[in-house]
Amino acid sequence: MELKTFEPAYGSGITISATTSSARGAITNALFTESLVVTNTGSDFAYIKPGNSDVTATSADYCLLPGQQVSITWSRDVTHVAALAGTSSTSIHVIPGNGF
């Protein structure tokens, strides 16, 4: 497997306004990318989970600290990302692309 730097699918980023109830956003260009870069731009931690249009994030999912960014490899059947704020609210930015 060749490792390469992350190449974003420009124009495909979304922002999810996460609260203590799970919220989800649809990812465009999902079938043409292999990675998601997820950034917590808010001040509360959040739990995130990629999935389909029914995906719901819970406290058992990936925890993303305030200001943290992570690159996640994902299957091509993922169409949405769900986010759940830890204690109040936060903003999660998600952009698909290729590489890490």
Side-chain angles (χ1 to χ4, degrees), residues 16 18-19 22-23 36-40 44-51 55-74 81-86 90 92-94 100:
I16 302 169
T19 66
S22 183
L36 291 176
V37 168
V38 183
T39 307
N40 184 345
D44 192 8
F45 65 95
Y47 300 100
I48 58 168
K49 182 177 182 180
V55 66
T56 301
T58 71
S59 61
D61 294 319
Y62 190 93
C63 185
L64 195 61
L65 301 175
Q68 185 179 18
Q69 184 176 68
V70 66
S71 177
I72 300 173
T73 302
W74 59 314
V81 173
L84 173 71
T90 196
I92 303 298
H93 184 266
V94 183
F100 296 97

Side-chain angles (χ1 to χ4, degrees), residues 19 34 43 54 64 98:
T19 66
E34 61 192 21
S43 58
D54 295 333
L64 195 61
N98 293 304

Side-chain angles (χ1 to χ4, degrees), residues 8-45:
Y10 291 105
S12 299
I14 63 166
T15 299
I16 302 169
S17 297
T19 66
T20 54
S21 295
S22 183
R24 74 181 69 85
I27 303 296
T28 57
N29 292 332
L31 298 177
F32 305 104
T33 61
E34 61 192 21
S35 301
L36 291 176
V37 168
V38 183
T39 307
N40 184 345
T41 61
S43 58
D44 192 8
F45 65 95

